[in-house]
Amino acid sequence: MLQKLYDWVDERVDITPLWRDIADHEVPEHVNPAHHFSAFVYCFGGLTFFITVIQVLSGMFLTMYYVPDIENAWKSVKYLQMQVAYGQIVRGMHHWGASLVIVMMFLHTLRVFFQGAYKKPRELNWVVGVLIFFVMLGLGFTGYLLPWDNKAFFATQVGLQIAEQTPLIGTELKTLLAGDPKIIGAQTLTRFFAIHVFFLPAALFGLMGAHFVMIRKQGISGPL
């Protein structure tokens, strides 16, 4: 049945050359754990991508129940945890995954740095990777406020005060994020939700696409 479906699609859009090109791509010997014990350090990038996929899927599920409104935000989170089947598990995956993805990205960045994989011809890929790191930090920061509890409120207040200390554009940056330069309220929650769900994911997908294209062109870097 699946073969017939595949043949039907392949006859119309010719997908075989695409996946064969991906499947036939050779993996360097130094990233094969069967040959080199140290090859595990090359797994951090893949693990980061895997956790990112989990974050996207779990986040899509959470947005089906979340209400970005100061009157209903916490109520919707509580309903998700208490009433929705497997809601507590999915929210837990998203919550802990937000920390784990940063850890994996940090380890991946360390591997790239100490093995000199940021050098020619991979300088641009290093810059893109650093930008991805900052986008991930932004996702963590904006997502922290969304449950709208005391911990999230005061942590965001501290974060906005730090943003306000940015030279030249600090006040404007805080106003852009919070909506109101004086209080954290309904506009802040709405803006954080929009940034977390729309703006930063769009930037993340674009940067990751560029990252993968360059990895494909340049190959996986080798050890020093």
Side-chain angles (χ1 to χ4, degrees):
M1 180 63 181
L2 291 176
Q3 184 62 44
K4 289 183 179 180
L5 177 62
Y6 175 84
D7 292 339
W8 186 87
V9 174
D10 186 47
E11 184 179 357
R12 285 154 180 80
V13 295
D14 194 26
I15 61 175
T16 297
L18 177 63
W19 76 263
R20 288 305 306 174
D21 179 60
I22 297 173
D24 291 342
H25 188 68
E26 292 187 5
V27 177
E29 184 179 346
H30 64 270
V31 301
N32 187 344
H35 297 116
H36 298 277
F37 175 73
S38 61
F40 75 92
V41 299
Y42 292 90
C43 297
F44 295 135
L47 289 172
T48 302
F49 175 71
F50 176 70
I51 300 170
T52 301
V53 172
I54 293 177
Q55 289 299 97
V56 171
L57 295 177
S58 59
M60 291 169 64
F61 177 83
L62 295 179
T63 56
M64 295 174 65
Y65 296 94
Y66 180 74
V67 181
D69 172 74
I70 58 175
E71 296 294 331
N72 299 296
W74 170 243
K75 294 178 183 178
S76 64
V77 173
K78 184 177 180 181
Y79 173 79
L80 173 70
Q81 292 218 150
M82 301 297 183
Q83 304 295 328
V84 178
Y86 306 109
Q88 188 173 13
I89 295 176
V90 176
R91 192 195 170 208
M93 291 170 60
H94 198 75
H95 173 80
W96 293 109
S99 299
L100 188 58
V101 73
I102 297 298
V103 173
M104 290 295 106
M105 279 203 71
F106 182 70
L107 293 174
H108 177 57
T109 304
L110 286 180
R111 196 279 300 174
V112 172
F113 179 78
F114 283 112
Q115 288 195 329
Y118 58 88
K119 298 178 181 179
K120 186 180 179 180
R122 297 182 172 85
E123 306 98 313
L124 183 59
N125 210 2
W126 168 261
V127 173
V128 171
V130 172
L131 291 176
I132 292 175
F133 194 90
F134 281 116
V135 169
M136 285 293 189
L137 292 176
L139 285 166
F141 175 62
T142 53
Y144 203 83
L145 178 66
L146 301 186
W148 198 248
D149 55 10
N150 285 333
K151 184 179 179 181
F153 179 88
F154 289 109
T156 301
Q157 192 173 50
V158 173
L160 290 174
Q161 289 173 351
I162 294 174
E164 191 176 17
Q165 303 308 311
T166 304
L168 301 178
I169 61 170
T171 303
E172 291 76 11
L173 180 60
K174 181 183 178 182
T175 304
L176 176 65
L177 292 172
D180 190 316
K182 296 182 180 180
I183 63 172
I184 297 176
Q187 275 206 20
T188 311
L189 182 62
T190 302
R191 291 192 180 205
F192 271 52
F193 177 76
I195 294 170
H196 186 76
V197 174
F198 298 111
F199 291 94
L200 289 181
L204 179 64
F205 294 150
L207 290 170
M208 288 181 66
H211 195 59
F212 292 146
V213 168
M214 284 186 280
I215 291 174
R216 180 71 174 177
K217 293 288 186 181
Q218 299 165 352
I220 301 175
S221 61
L224 290 174

